[in-house]
Amino acid sequence: MLAKLISLLTISLLSLAVTHADEPVLFEDNFNSGMSEQWQIVGLSSDDYRIKDGGLEFRVQSHTYTRESPMIKVILPFTSSSSVIASVDVEILDKFTASDEMVGMFLIDESGREFRATKARIDRKLLFAPPAVNFIGETGHEDDLSNYAYTYHPASEKSETLRIIVRSHYAYFQVGPNDNGKYQNFFSSAIRKNSKERGFCLCATGAPEGAEHWVRFDNFRVTQKGK
């Protein structure tokens, strides 16, 4: 049953791989003239972030990642059943040096972060996380986690576009686009159905204590099909 579900989700992902430029914009901030007033600053001091050269630069926090880690968030009018695409360009300005140091975008609700699209330092490599997941076991053994292959793909310190797609109570992580305008599919997961509020946040965590590591966000955009 789970294998069938994975197959159906893969088909759904492929159908979402191309950006639909005509979808209405639910929220957008390119940071060219400051930050939108809709952003909420959580747990950050004024010297932890800055607008520079048309982008939002963010000091990587030394905190270990938790649902309550410092962040910049925006709450938007959609639910887990909506059809929403959020995207942001992410660049690493200072080389990550700590294990699990990460930067990216998260889907959130009133209880905190639920789903992420990030670049992370794992085993001394810069990778996209979470990884792509594929079932490699025999039918009937879908409940055994050892029957799944987890494949990490290399990320770059250069600016790359991360996407989170929300559709039919599931979230999907994609990176792209490539030269053909398509996105590569990575992780997907069911998300909570009864959240009281929904939104996205930007954050960077896990830097060594006292380190001056900075990252950059640009071209944050959320579209909602049928909005």
Side-chain angles (χ1 to χ4, degrees), residues 7 37 76 87 92 113 126 131 158 195 202 211 214 220 226:
S7 177
E37 293 182 355
L76 299 170
S87 63
I92 296 173
R113 297 163 176 81
L126 187 62
K158 297 179 181 179
S195 298
L202 306 175
W214 286 81
F220 181 84

Side-chain angles (χ1 to χ4, degrees), residues 140-161:
H141 296 275
E142 291 84 1
D143 292 336
D144 185 350
L145 295 180
S146 66
N147 286 325
Y148 292 84
Y150 301 86
T151 305
Y152 284 94
H153 292 266
S156 168
E157 293 179 351
K158 297 179 181 179
S159 180
E160 294 169 298
T161 302

Side-chain angles (χ1 to χ4, degrees), residues 65-68 71 106-115 192 197-199 201:
Y65 165 71
T66 67
R67 289 186 176 183
E68 292 75 35
M71 61 182 165
F106 290 70
L107 173 69
I108 61 174
D109 67 3
E110 69 278 2
S111 63
R113 297 163 176 81
E114 183 176 12
F115 185 91
R192 291 184 283 271
E197 64 179 26
R198 277 290 177 190
C201 79

Side-chain angles (χ1 to χ4, degrees), residues 63-219:
H63 307 74
T64 301
Y65 165 71
T66 67
R67 289 186 176 183
E68 292 75 35
S69 295
M71 61 182 165
I72 296 175
K73 71 176 184 178
V74 60
I75 302 302
L76 299 170
F78 70 94
T79 68
S80 65
S81 63
S82 302
S83 183
V84 169
I85 300 176
S87 63
V88 66
D89 298 340
V90 177
E91 180 180 1
I92 296 173
L93 302 178
D94 300 294
K95 185 179 180 66
F96 284 0
T97 58
S99 179
D100 295 327
E101 194 168 358
M102 71 168 70
V103 56
M105 171 175 58
F106 290 70
L107 173 69
I108 61 174
D109 67 3
E110 69 278 2
S111 63
R113 297 163 176 81
E114 183 176 12
F115 185 91
R116 66 181 172 123
T118 64
K119 297 181 181 186
R121 188 174 188 266
I122 301 171
D123 294 331
R124 300 184 179 182
K125 299 176 182 178
L126 187 62
L127 305 169
F128 293 115
V133 181
N134 295 294
F135 181 69
I136 57 174
E138 297 180 0
T139 302
H141 296 275
E142 291 84 1
D143 292 336
D144 185 350
L145 295 180
S146 66
N147 286 325
Y148 292 84
Y150 301 86
T151 305
Y152 284 94
H153 292 266
S156 168
E157 293 179 351
K158 297 179 181 179
S159 180
E160 294 169 298
T161 302
L162 309 183
R163 295 208 314 184
I164 292 177
I165 296 173
V166 175
R167 193 173 84 166
S168 302
H169 309 301
Y170 273 80
Y172 307 87
F173 169 30
Q174 294 184 334
V175 175
N178 61 18
D179 292 340
N180 296 320
K182 294 187 178 181
Y183 285 75
Q184 186 171 5
N185 304 310
F186 290 106
F187 189 75
S188 64
S189 175
I191 57 176
R192 291 184 283 271
K193 295 183 178 181
N194 299 316
S195 298
K196 296 179 181 178
E197 64 179 26
R198 277 290 177 190
F200 296 94
C201 79
L202 306 175
C203 72
T205 62
E209 192 70 39
E212 278 287 321
H213 291 178
W214 286 81
V215 296
R216 180 182 173 91
F217 299 100
D218 206 352
N219 299 317

